[in-house]
Amino acid sequence: MANNYLKNQKILYAAALAASIIFCIAMTSMGITKYYSVLQGGDNYNDYPTSGFSLIRVLINGSYLIATVTYIIWLTKKQQTSYSFLDICKYAIPFLALALIAYPQSSDIYLYLHYGTMSLHKINPYLNSSDSFVSNLSPFLHWRQTSTYGPVSLFFFALSALGVPISPLLAVYIFKIICVLVHTLNAYLIWRLLTNYEHRNFITMAYLVNPMLLNEQIANAHLDVLVANTLIVLIGCIYYQRYVFAILAILVGFLIKTLPIIWFPLVFAFLCKQRRWRDLAASVLLSLLIIAVITYTFMPTVSAWRSVLNPATSGATARSFHQALNLFMNFLPNVSVETRENILSFLKYFAYLSWIVYYAGTLIKSLFRQKDSEINLVSDIGWTTLTLFLFATPWLMPWYPSILLPIAALSINSSHFVLTSLTFSLSPSIILGAGSGTTVISLATSLVSVVPATALVIFGRKKPLF
């Protein structure tokens, strides 16, 4: 039995590695081709060639699907190990290396580096839109707006952009090296925080080689890997009752990307219930000090602060229930553009309002819960974030749910949340492309992205994972 089990594990590992090699080659071939095509005046980077049918798209989707299926099969085996973290890394290194080599399909990396280049030239990207400054990266830009990312992100953008004068390709890989190092650090922090947990090696390995994390946070180099880092620190500080540092982690996360601000009321309410007045006072003073410094240095105007709310996507839909409804109405006869826009507008505000009511209910419930605990607080952070993405985010990108996985890894006893967040994270990346088009493929992309996780939210049962 043991020999058969070991043989099956080797087969799974070989299949996942082979699929990852194909994925890496296809991504790099497509990415480099797109890069030089744009330099020669070809198609916009964001549109070529991930719309419609192409062989490269089939290869990328097929290899990613195989890697995901083998990963899920491996998860169901629940192999327990006594490895050290270095031993875990030895198994993960081939996958980390392939994700590092794979060239990004997403155009976001160019926007990051362009903002970094602006910063190096003493041009404030919160006051000046990306198209107000010309760099080697300008031909690759899809979003021509002021920066939607905070000053902490800007530091890493500028650090990577030091390579732009030599070659934008070098700058891309500098940022990707930062991503793989931070991802590995995140896995290490999870491993440390699970010191007293029986299955910590299995969970750490599952996080380190998760196909979606490798694809979105390393291969496509999205800065959500940095947000994940602050989230892991936040959860660690909550568990160890270092509440001032927990608030600091939220602030740093917000200065990377806007999302972490939604966690602040939950932590604030928890501290109020625990009567941690000294921690609250220190947190408020620290927050005001940081806001004052940022206002004085990077964001001196209201419009600069508003920039991080990403107003450019306010009317856009992709990969969400909003997008699915939009496409269904496109396929129906006699539905005018005005009617469709009115329905989508109503749905957007109804979804936002419903989520706000849910959030308020979560806050009230936490205040009146008789036996409140740090575990409950982390669970509340997880569910409010998941429901925001799943039901109230019209513009849903495949890397957004990646932020749920650190919460899942560190709240493994919440089996319903773990299974739902894992499903939600793996589903959106299965079909390559923006998911914002008007084709049947875009409709399928939206449904694949949100329906499986929604089914688990509604019908999932709370049962132990181990």
Side-chain angles (χ1 to χ4, degrees):
M1 288 290 294
N3 289 335
N4 288 335
Y5 180 80
L6 184 60
K7 181 179 178 181
N8 291 336
Q9 290 294 306
K10 289 181 178 179
I11 292 173
L12 284 175
Y13 189 88
L17 187 59
S20 299
I21 292 171
I22 294 172
F23 180 84
C24 175
I25 294 172
M27 282 279 285
T28 305
S29 173
M30 179 182 69
I32 297 298
T33 299
K34 290 165 71 174
Y35 174 83
Y36 285 107
S37 174
V38 172
L39 285 183
Q40 295 167 8
D43 293 333
N44 179 280
Y45 190 94
N46 202 58
D47 301 327
Y48 169 85
T50 54
S51 57
F53 178 85
S54 66
L55 176 60
I56 199 76
R57 191 176 188 184
V58 171
L59 285 173
I60 290 175
N61 278 153
S63 58
Y64 181 83
L65 184 59
I66 292 171
T68 301
V69 169
T70 56
Y71 176 77
I72 293 171
I73 294 173
W74 174 77
L75 284 179
T76 61
K77 299 296 182 182
K78 301 173 185 175
Q79 179 189 18
Q80 303 307 315
T81 66
S82 58
Y83 300 141
S84 68
F85 183 74
L86 289 178
D87 290 329
I88 294 172
C89 286
K90 289 177 184 177
Y91 284 96
I93 280 176
F95 300 100
L96 294 171
L98 290 168
L100 175 63
I101 294 169
Y103 199 81
Q105 174 266 326
S106 171
S107 63
D108 284 358
I109 181 65
Y110 296 109
L111 189 60
Y112 300 165
L113 297 173
H114 185 75
Y115 287 141
T117 304
M118 291 175 69
S119 179
L120 292 175
H121 283 81
K122 309 299 181 185
I123 298 173
N124 191 329
Y126 304 105
L127 299 176
N128 301 275
S129 61
S130 59
D131 59 356
S132 67
F133 174 77
V134 178
S135 75
N136 295 342
L137 302 155
S138 294
F140 303 95
L141 299 184
H142 180 68
W143 299 99
R144 305 184 184 279
Q145 60 189 34
T146 51
S147 178
T148 62
Y149 313 107
V152 174
S153 297
L154 190 61
F155 168 78
F156 291 99
F157 298 166
L159 179 64
S160 304
L162 290 172
V164 169
I166 301 172
S167 170
L169 294 177
L170 173 62
V172 166
Y173 279 99
I174 291 175
F175 190 78
K176 281 172 65 69
I177 289 172
I178 293 173
C179 290
V180 76
L181 291 175
V182 175
H183 176 67
T184 306
L185 174 61
N186 291 345
Y188 175 72
L189 292 175
I190 289 171
W191 185 77
R192 287 297 302 270
L193 289 170
L194 294 175
T195 297
N196 297 321
Y197 191 70
E198 179 184 357
H199 306 288
R200 72 164 179 165
N201 294 318
F202 175 75
I203 295 168
T204 303
M205 176 71 83
Y207 185 89
L208 197 58
V209 299
N210 181 282
M212 186 263 205
L213 293 177
L214 293 175
N215 180 25
E216 300 296 354
Q217 293 191 0
I218 300 178
N220 280 305
H222 286 114
L223 58 80
D224 298 71
V225 68
L226 300 175
V227 182
N229 181 262
T230 62
L231 176 56
I232 293 168
V233 172
L234 164 64
I235 295 173
C237 290
I238 290 172
Y239 283 160
Y240 284 93
Q241 300 182 352
R242 302 290 189 265
Y243 297 121
V244 175
F245 289 104
I247 296 295
L248 180 60
I250 292 176
L251 289 171
V252 173
F254 172 71
L255 295 176
I256 295 171
K257 200 172 181 179
T258 315
L259 173 69
I261 200 65
I262 71 169
W263 306 327
F264 186 84
L266 291 168
V267 177
F268 188 87
F270 180 83
L271 295 184
C272 286
K273 186 176 181 181
Q274 298 293 324
R275 301 181 182 276
R276 304 295 292 249
W277 309 121
R278 185 175 298 177
D279 289 335
L280 277 170
S283 300
V284 170
L285 290 175
L286 181 62
S287 301
L288 292 175
L289 177 61
I290 292 175
I291 291 172
V293 171
I294 296 300
T295 300
Y296 181 77
T297 53
F298 294 98
M299 300 178 174
T301 66
V302 174
S303 62
W305 282 98
R306 192 182 298 122
S307 174
V308 299
L309 298 177
N310 199 7
T313 62
S314 60
T317 59
R319 292 180 174 270
S320 59
F321 282 114
H322 305 71
Q323 171 69 353
L325 178 61
N326 184 23
L327 293 177
F328 273 125
M329 288 189 293
N330 277 341
F331 299 142
L332 294 176
N334 303 321
V335 178
S336 66
V337 174
E338 182 180 1
T339 300
R340 186 169 68 248
E341 289 179 351
N342 288 337
I343 293 174
L344 286 174
S345 178
F346 170 79
L347 176 62
K348 181 179 75 171
Y349 289 110
F350 177 78
Y352 283 152
L353 180 61
S354 298
W355 181 80
I356 290 171
V357 170
Y358 168 77
Y359 192 103
T362 301
L363 273 176
I364 294 170
K365 181 174 142 184
S366 70
L367 289 172
F368 289 95
R369 195 157 39 205
Q370 290 186 350
K371 293 183 179 180
D372 207 6
S373 68
E374 288 78 9
I375 293 175
N376 290 332
L377 174 58
V378 173
S379 178
D380 288 342
I381 289 173
W383 280 113
T384 53
T385 307
L386 187 150
T387 51
L388 173 65
F389 287 148
L390 189 56
F391 301 116
T393 304
W395 182 261
L396 178 65
M397 290 292 99
W399 54 92
Y400 289 3
S402 69
I403 203 63
L404 300 171
L405 293 179
I407 308 174
L410 294 171
S411 55
I412 196 65
N413 291 326
S414 303
S415 57
H416 189 198
F417 175 79
V418 172
L419 185 58
T420 306
S421 59
L422 184 62
T423 301
F424 189 25
S425 67
L426 291 174
S427 301
S429 293
I430 287 177
I431 302 178
L432 179 68
S436 56
T438 58
T439 65
V440 175
I441 293 180
S442 294
L443 177 60
T445 300
S446 297
L447 295 178
V448 167
S449 297
V450 295
V451 169
T454 301
L456 285 172
V457 169
I458 298 172
F459 303 110
R461 295 183 179 180
K462 300 178 181 180
K463 58 181 180 180
L465 291 178
F466 299 100

mmCIF file of all heavy atoms in Angstrom, residues 222-251:
data_model
loop_
_atom_site.group_PDB
_atom_site.id
_atom_site.type_symbol
_atom_site.label_atom_id
_atom_site.label_comp_id
_atom_site.label_asym_id
_atom_site.label_seq_id
_atom_site.Cartn_x
_atom_site.Cartn_y
_atom_site.Cartn_z
ATOM 1 N N HIS A 222 1.047 40.151 -9.824
ATOM 2 C CA HIS A 222 0.119 41.116 -9.247
ATOM 3 C C HIS A 222 0.519 41.425 -7.806
ATOM 4 O O HIS A 222 0.933 40.536 -7.064
ATOM 5 C CB HIS A 222 -1.315 40.573 -9.298
ATOM 6 C CG HIS A 222 -1.897 40.611 -10.675
ATOM 7 N ND1 HIS A 222 -2.212 39.473 -11.389
ATOM 8 C CD2 HIS A 222 -2.215 41.656 -11.483
ATOM 9 C CE1 HIS A 222 -2.696 39.814 -12.569
ATOM 10 N NE2 HIS A 222 -2.697 41.124 -12.650
ATOM 11 N N LEU A 223 0.341 42.686 -7.438
ATOM 12 C CA LEU A 223 0.848 43.116 -6.133
ATOM 13 C C LEU A 223 0.005 42.612 -4.967
ATOM 14 O O LEU A 223 0.306 42.909 -3.806
ATOM 15 C CB LEU A 223 0.977 44.640 -6.077
ATOM 16 C CG LEU A 223 -0.252 45.509 -6.329
ATOM 17 C CD1 LEU A 223 -1.143 45.601 -5.119
ATOM 18 C CD2 LEU A 223 0.170 46.905 -6.741
ATOM 19 N N ASP A 224 -1.044 41.819 -5.256
ATOM 20 C CA ASP A 224 -1.817 41.209 -4.178
ATOM 21 C C ASP A 224 -0.941 40.324 -3.298
ATOM 22 O O ASP A 224 -1.317 40.028 -2.160
ATOM 23 C CB ASP A 224 -2.973 40.401 -4.771
ATOM 24 C CG ASP A 224 -3.929 41.278 -5.558
ATOM 25 O OD1 ASP A 224 -3.546 41.743 -6.646
ATOM 26 O OD2 ASP A 224 -5.040 41.521 -5.093
ATOM 27 N N VAL A 225 0.203 39.901 -3.807
ATOM 28 C CA VAL A 225 1.137 39.130 -2.988
ATOM 29 C C VAL A 225 1.623 39.967 -1.808
ATOM 30 O O VAL A 225 1.860 39.447 -0.709
ATOM 31 C CB VAL A 225 2.331 38.623 -3.837
ATOM 32 C CG1 VAL A 225 3.227 39.763 -4.306
ATOM 33 C CG2 VAL A 225 3.139 37.593 -3.063
ATOM 34 N N LEU A 226 1.741 41.284 -2.002
ATOM 35 C CA LEU A 226 2.135 42.172 -0.909
ATOM 36 C C LEU A 226 0.994 42.357 0.081
ATOM 37 O O LEU A 226 1.212 42.412 1.299
ATOM 38 C CB LEU A 226 2.569 43.530 -1.468
ATOM 39 C CG LEU A 226 3.755 43.522 -2.433
ATOM 40 C CD1 LEU A 226 3.993 44.919 -2.993
ATOM 41 C CD2 LEU A 226 5.008 43.011 -1.747
ATOM 42 N N VAL A 227 -0.232 42.471 -0.433
ATOM 43 C CA VAL A 227 -1.395 42.576 0.450
ATOM 44 C C VAL A 227 -1.528 41.305 1.281
ATOM 45 O O VAL A 227 -1.842 41.360 2.477
ATOM 46 C CB VAL A 227 -2.676 42.831 -0.359
ATOM 47 C CG1 VAL A 227 -3.878 42.981 0.578
ATOM 48 C CG2 VAL A 227 -2.547 44.072 -1.225
ATOM 49 N N ALA A 228 -1.289 40.154 0.652
ATOM 50 C CA ALA A 228 -1.343 38.879 1.376
ATOM 51 C C ALA A 228 -0.350 38.866 2.529
ATOM 52 O O ALA A 228 -0.643 38.343 3.612
ATOM 53 C CB ALA A 228 -1.067 37.723 0.420
ATOM 54 N N ASN A 229 0.804 39.461 2.319
ATOM 55 C CA ASN A 229 1.810 39.527 3.375
ATOM 56 C C ASN A 229 1.304 40.313 4.577
ATOM 57 O O ASN A 229 1.429 39.882 5.727
ATOM 58 C CB ASN A 229 3.095 40.151 2.821
ATOM 59 C CG ASN A 229 4.186 40.232 3.862
ATOM 60 O OD1 ASN A 229 4.392 41.266 4.481
ATOM 61 N ND2 ASN A 229 4.904 39.144 4.070
ATOM 62 N N THR A 230 0.712 41.487 4.321
ATOM 63 C CA THR A 230 0.192 42.291 5.435
ATOM 64 C C THR A 230 -0.983 41.589 6.106
ATOM 65 O O THR A 230 -1.175 41.715 7.322
ATOM 66 C CB THR A 230 -0.240 43.686 4.954
ATOM 67 O OG1 THR A 230 -1.309 43.576 4.003
ATOM 68 C CG2 THR A 230 0.921 44.424 4.305
ATOM 69 N N LEU A 231 -1.767 40.821 5.344
ATOM 70 C CA LEU A 231 -2.894 40.094 5.924
ATOM 71 C C LEU A 231 -2.414 38.988 6.855
ATOM 72 O O LEU A 231 -2.973 38.784 7.941
ATOM 73 C CB LEU A 231 -3.763 39.515 4.805
ATOM 74 C CG LEU A 231 -4.942 38.639 5.228
ATOM 75 C CD1 LEU A 231 -5.864 39.377 6.188
ATOM 76 C CD2 LEU A 231 -5.723 38.163 4.009
ATOM 77 N N ILE A 232 -1.378 38.278 6.442
ATOM 78 C CA ILE A 232 -0.819 37.221 7.301
ATOM 79 C C ILE A 232 -0.262 37.825 8.590
ATOM 80 O O ILE A 232 -0.467 37.287 9.689
ATOM 81 C CB ILE A 232 0.273 36.443 6.544
ATOM 82 C CG1 ILE A 232 -0.355 35.665 5.382
ATOM 83 C CG2 ILE A 232 1.006 35.486 7.478
ATOM 84 C CD1 ILE A 232 0.653 35.109 4.402
ATOM 85 N N VAL A 233 0.432 38.961 8.456
ATOM 86 C CA VAL A 233 0.938 39.652 9.654
ATOM 87 C C VAL A 233 -0.227 40.091 10.537
ATOM 88 O O VAL A 233 -0.182 39.964 11.769
ATOM 89 C CB VAL A 233 1.798 40.866 9.244
ATOM 90 C CG1 VAL A 233 2.172 41.706 10.472
ATOM 91 C CG2 VAL A 233 3.064 40.402 8.525
ATOM 92 N N LEU A 234 -1.307 40.611 9.911
ATOM 93 C CA LEU A 234 -2.484 41.032 10.668
ATOM 94 C C LEU A 234 -3.063 39.865 11.464
ATOM 95 O O LEU A 234 -3.327 40.003 12.672
ATOM 96 C CB LEU A 234 -3.541 41.573 9.694
ATOM 97 C CG LEU A 234 -4.977 41.722 10.230
ATOM 98 C CD1 LEU A 234 -5.019 42.755 11.355
ATOM 99 C CD2 LEU A 234 -5.937 42.094 9.120
ATOM 100 N N ILE A 235 -3.243 38.713 10.814
ATOM 101 C CA ILE A 235 -3.821 37.565 11.498
ATOM 102 C C ILE A 235 -2.900 37.077 12.622
ATOM 103 O O ILE A 235 -3.356 36.735 13.718
ATOM 104 C CB ILE A 235 -4.104 36.437 10.494
ATOM 105 C CG1 ILE A 235 -5.180 36.878 9.496
ATOM 106 C CG2 ILE A 235 -4.543 35.159 11.214
ATOM 107 C CD1 ILE A 235 -5.412 35.901 8.361
ATOM 108 N N GLY A 236 -1.584 37.065 12.346
ATOM 109 C CA GLY A 236 -0.628 36.688 13.383
ATOM 110 C C GLY A 236 -0.699 37.613 14.582
ATOM 111 O O GLY A 236 -0.682 37.156 15.737
ATOM 112 N N CYS A 237 -0.804 38.907 14.329
ATOM 113 C CA CYS A 237 -0.899 39.882 15.425
ATOM 114 C C CYS A 237 -2.204 39.704 16.203
ATOM 115 O O CYS A 237 -2.228 39.866 17.431
ATOM 116 C CB CYS A 237 -0.814 41.305 14.873
ATOM 117 S SG CYS A 237 0.815 41.752 14.240
ATOM 118 N N ILE A 238 -3.280 39.372 15.517
ATOM 119 C CA ILE A 238 -4.553 39.122 16.199
ATOM 120 C C ILE A 238 -4.442 37.902 17.099
ATOM 121 O O ILE A 238 -4.840 37.925 18.268
ATOM 122 C CB ILE A 238 -5.691 38.944 15.171
ATOM 123 C CG1 ILE A 238 -6.002 40.282 14.482
ATOM 124 C CG2 ILE A 238 -6.947 38.392 15.841
ATOM 125 C CD1 ILE A 238 -6.981 40.162 13.332
ATOM 126 N N TYR A 239 -3.881 36.819 16.572
ATOM 127 C CA TYR A 239 -3.766 35.596 17.361
ATOM 128 C C TYR A 239 -2.848 35.780 18.577
ATOM 129 O O TYR A 239 -3.084 35.192 19.636
ATOM 130 C CB TYR A 239 -3.236 34.457 16.488
ATOM 131 C CG TYR A 239 -4.277 33.861 15.558
ATOM 132 C CD1 TYR A 239 -3.903 33.126 14.436
ATOM 133 C CD2 TYR A 239 -5.635 34.013 15.795
ATOM 134 C CE1 TYR A 239 -4.847 32.564 13.578
ATOM 135 C CE2 TYR A 239 -6.586 33.463 14.951
ATOM 136 C CZ TYR A 239 -6.188 32.743 13.842
ATOM 137 O OH TYR A 239 -7.131 32.191 13.011
ATOM 138 N N TYR A 240 -1.809 36.598 18.412
ATOM 139 C CA TYR A 240 -0.874 36.828 19.516
ATOM 140 C C TYR A 240 -1.215 38.081 20.313
ATOM 141 O O TYR A 240 -0.428 38.515 21.151
ATOM 142 C CB TYR A 240 0.562 36.918 18.986
ATOM 143 C CG TYR A 240 1.151 35.571 18.632
ATOM 144 C CD1 TYR A 240 1.063 35.063 17.345
ATOM 145 C CD2 TYR A 240 1.772 34.794 19.601
ATOM 146 C CE1 TYR A 240 1.594 33.822 17.014
ATOM 147 C CE2 TYR A 240 2.314 33.551 19.291
ATOM 148 C CZ TYR A 240 2.213 33.074 17.989
ATOM 149 O OH TYR A 240 2.744 31.846 17.679
ATOM 150 N N GLN A 241 -2.369 38.675 20.026
ATOM 151 C CA GLN A 241 -2.906 39.829 20.759
ATOM 152 C C GLN A 241 -1.960 41.026 20.733
ATOM 153 O O GLN A 241 -1.828 41.755 21.708
ATOM 154 C CB GLN A 241 -3.237 39.421 22.205
ATOM 155 C CG GLN A 241 -4.281 38.310 22.282
ATOM 156 C CD GLN A 241 -4.647 37.930 23.712
ATOM 157 O OE1 GLN A 241 -4.017 38.384 24.660
ATOM 158 N NE2 GLN A 241 -5.659 37.100 23.859
ATOM 159 N N ARG A 242 -1.339 41.241 19.578
ATOM 160 C CA ARG A 242 -0.525 42.440 19.359
ATOM 161 C C ARG A 242 -1.364 43.407 18.507
ATOM 162 O O ARG A 242 -1.154 43.549 17.313
ATOM 163 C CB ARG A 242 0.787 42.078 18.648
ATOM 164 C CG ARG A 242 1.645 41.073 19.376
ATOM 165 C CD ARG A 242 2.242 41.675 20.647
ATOM 166 N NE ARG A 242 3.238 40.793 21.242
ATOM 167 C CZ ARG A 242 2.988 39.923 22.204
ATOM 168 N NH1 ARG A 242 1.740 39.793 22.671
ATOM 169 N NH2 ARG A 242 3.947 39.174 22.716
ATOM 170 N N TYR A 243 -2.334 44.029 19.164
ATOM 171 C CA TYR A 243 -3.388 44.718 18.424
ATOM 172 C C TYR A 243 -2.929 46.009 17.758
ATOM 173 O O TYR A 243 -3.434 46.369 16.697
ATOM 174 C CB TYR A 243 -4.573 44.978 19.351
ATOM 175 C CG TYR A 243 -5.207 43.709 19.869
ATOM 176 C CD1 TYR A 243 -5.280 43.443 21.234
ATOM 177 C CD2 TYR A 243 -5.721 42.761 18.985
ATOM 178 C CE1 TYR A 243 -5.857 42.275 21.709
ATOM 179 C CE2 TYR A 243 -6.288 41.577 19.455
ATOM 180 C CZ TYR A 243 -6.353 41.344 20.819
ATOM 181 O OH TYR A 243 -6.911 40.179 21.273
ATOM 182 N N VAL A 244 -1.996 46.716 18.358
ATOM 183 C CA VAL A 244 -1.488 47.945 17.714
ATOM 184 C C VAL A 244 -0.770 47.584 16.415
ATOM 185 O O VAL A 244 -0.949 48.254 15.384
ATOM 186 C CB VAL A 244 -0.538 48.709 18.665
ATOM 187 C CG1 VAL A 244 0.070 49.916 17.942
ATOM 188 C CG2 VAL A 244 -1.294 49.167 19.906
ATOM 189 N N PHE A 245 -0.010 46.512 16.448
ATOM 190 C CA PHE A 245 0.668 46.065 15.232
ATOM 191 C C PHE A 245 -0.337 45.532 14.207
ATOM 192 O O PHE A 245 -0.106 45.620 12.999
ATOM 193 C CB PHE A 245 1.704 45.000 15.570
ATOM 194 C CG PHE A 245 2.908 45.537 16.290
ATOM 195 C CD1 PHE A 245 3.058 45.340 17.655
ATOM 196 C CD2 PHE A 245 3.880 46.255 15.607
ATOM 197 C CE1 PHE A 245 4.157 45.846 18.324
ATOM 198 C CE2 PHE A 245 4.983 46.761 16.276
ATOM 199 C CZ PHE A 245 5.125 46.564 17.634
ATOM 200 N N ALA A 246 -1.459 44.987 14.701
ATOM 201 C CA ALA A 246 -2.515 44.533 13.787
ATOM 202 C C ALA A 246 -3.083 45.725 13.016
ATOM 203 O O ALA A 246 -3.277 45.654 11.787
ATOM 204 C CB ALA A 246 -3.616 43.828 14.566
ATOM 205 N N ILE A 247 -3.353 46.818 13.721
ATOM 206 C CA ILE A 247 -3.847 48.031 13.054
ATOM 207 C C ILE A 247 -2.799 48.568 12.081
ATOM 208 O O ILE A 247 -3.124 48.997 10.966
ATOM 209 C CB ILE A 247 -4.213 49.111 14.091
ATOM 210 C CG1 ILE A 247 -5.364 48.630 14.976
ATOM 211 C CG2 ILE A 247 -4.568 50.421 13.402
ATOM 212 C CD1 ILE A 247 -6.666 48.428 14.248
ATOM 213 N N LEU A 248 -1.539 48.511 12.481
ATOM 214 C CA LEU A 248 -0.462 48.959 11.596
ATOM 215 C C LEU A 248 -0.418 48.110 10.330
ATOM 216 O O LEU A 248 -0.210 48.641 9.228
ATOM 217 C CB LEU A 248 0.883 48.890 12.334
ATOM 218 C CG LEU A 248 2.119 49.333 11.524
ATOM 219 C CD1 LEU A 248 1.983 50.784 11.067
ATOM 220 C CD2 LEU A 248 3.393 49.142 12.346
ATOM 221 N N ALA A 249 -0.631 46.807 10.465
ATOM 222 C CA ALA A 249 -0.646 45.919 9.297
ATOM 223 C C ALA A 249 -1.779 46.306 8.348
ATOM 224 O O ALA A 249 -1.606 46.298 7.119
ATOM 225 C CB ALA A 249 -0.798 44.466 9.743
ATOM 226 N N ILE A 250 -2.949 46.660 8.897
ATOM 227 C CA ILE A 250 -4.063 47.100 8.051
ATOM 228 C C ILE A 250 -3.694 48.384 7.312
ATOM 229 O O ILE A 250 -3.958 48.524 6.110
ATOM 230 C CB ILE A 250 -5.330 47.322 8.897
ATOM 231 C CG1 ILE A 250 -5.849 45.991 9.446
ATOM 232 C CG2 ILE A 250 -6.422 48.000 8.062
ATOM 233 C CD1 ILE A 250 -7.051 46.129 10.362
ATOM 234 N N LEU A 251 -3.055 49.317 8.017
ATOM 235 C CA LEU A 251 -2.675 50.587 7.389
ATOM 236 C C LEU A 251 -1.658 50.372 6.275
ATOM 237 O O LEU A 251 -1.765 50.965 5.197
ATOM 238 C CB LEU A 251 -2.114 51.539 8.447
ATOM 239 C CG LEU A 251 -3.128 52.101 9.446
ATOM 240 C CD1 LEU A 251 -2.420 52.849 10.567
ATOM 241 C CD2 LEU A 251 -4.116 53.017 8.741
#
